[in-house]
Amino acid sequence: TRLAASPSVLAGLQPRTLDISGSEISDLSSETGYAIESLDVRGCPLGRVHYLRRFVHLKKLVIHPGQLTQKELAMLPDWVEVTGSR
């Protein structure tokens, strides 16, 4: 399930925080153009996470323990604080 088909449901907004925890959203690739600084994806069935690197303003990612593998976590930029990963 996607957060939105083109165009994004966030179009026209300037969100800094996005909480989609507990949802069925599995792909945020269409939202990477937004200046989102905090992203809560706890419980979301994220398929591929490589696109998270394109959230260039991301400072904080909130996940459930074990939601991402160590390899997936290593793909994130060093400046992203990941909480809930342990």
Side-chain angles (χ1 to χ4, degrees):
T1 305
R2 292 182 57 100
L3 179 59
S6 292
S8 169
V9 294
L10 299 177
L13 302 175
Q14 302 274 329
R16 295 283 183 200
T17 301
L18 184 59
D19 181 344
I20 58 168
S21 59
S23 72
E24 294 297 316
I25 297 168
S26 62
D27 185 6
L28 289 169
S29 59
S30 64
E31 315 312 321
T32 58
Y34 295 94
I36 294 170
E37 296 176 359
S38 178
L39 179 61
D40 186 338
V41 296
R42 288 176 289 176
C44 294
L46 297 178
R48 300 181 319 232
V49 298
H50 68 278
Y51 62 83
L52 290 175
R53 291 180 292 181
R54 295 188 299 213
F55 282 97
V56 297
H57 299 280
L58 189 62
K59 295 177 184 173
K60 182 177 181 181
L61 178 66
V62 183
I63 61 173
H64 274 309
Q67 186 172 0
L68 299 178
T69 66
Q70 288 300 320
K71 183 178 179 180
E72 290 169 328
L73 290 170
M75 290 183 198
L76 298 172
D78 292 337
W79 64 82
V80 176
E81 173 192 357
V82 180
T83 60
S85 61
R86 303 192 197 299

